[in-house]
Amino acid sequence: MVALTLEEYESINPETTVKFRGQDLKYWTPNHYTENRARCLFGKGAMWERETVRWISSMDEDDLFVDIGANVGTYSVFAAANKLEVIAIEPESSNYSALNRNIKINDFDSQIT
């Protein structure tokens, strides 16, 4: 068995933290595409899908947000950070795995189903 250093492990399982309206949102970003998406969606660079972010932001605390085709959970994590109850549905296995990692690293297990 080969032991990895923390730095080696993090290079295999990298996380990107982005700030959005004073909140730290964490995303598992195993490749350049997922890192760029996390940074552009809520952080630096051109923000994608501004209307979706505005719509989620306009919801009242404890509203239910259903994310059909949740992908890796970008919007699910954002909605949970805004104190919404979330149901995230993702059928593709690798996206589902990343979605679950993103839920776990943000400690939203009780908020996102």
Side-chain angles (χ1 to χ4, degrees), residues 24 49 68 71 82-83:
D24 285 337
E49 301 187 47
I68 299 172
N71 195 268
N82 282 293
K83 308 215 183 316

Side-chain angles (χ1 to χ4, degrees), residues 79-93:
N82 282 293
K83 308 215 183 316
L84 302 176
E85 181 183 345
V86 179
I87 296 174
I89 301 166
E90 176 51 53
E92 201 281 318
S93 61

Side-chain angles (χ1 to χ4, degrees), residues 31-88:
N31 56 51
H32 179 70
Y33 174 76
T34 55
E35 180 182 9
N36 188 52
R37 179 162 171 83
R39 290 191 189 286
C40 287
L41 192 56
F42 302 118
K44 297 177 179 176
M47 193 167 116
W48 299 346
E49 301 187 47
R50 291 177 191 272
E51 290 304 313
T52 304
V53 171
R54 282 189 199 119
W55 175 61
I56 294 170
S57 297
S58 74
M59 295 179 172
D60 293 327
E61 227 178 80
D62 298 324
D63 277 356
L64 175 63
F65 176 70
V66 180
D67 193 357
I68 299 172
N71 195 268
V72 300
T74 305
Y75 293 120
S76 293
V77 167
F78 177 64
N82 282 293
K83 308 215 183 316
L84 302 176
E85 181 183 345
V86 179
I87 296 174

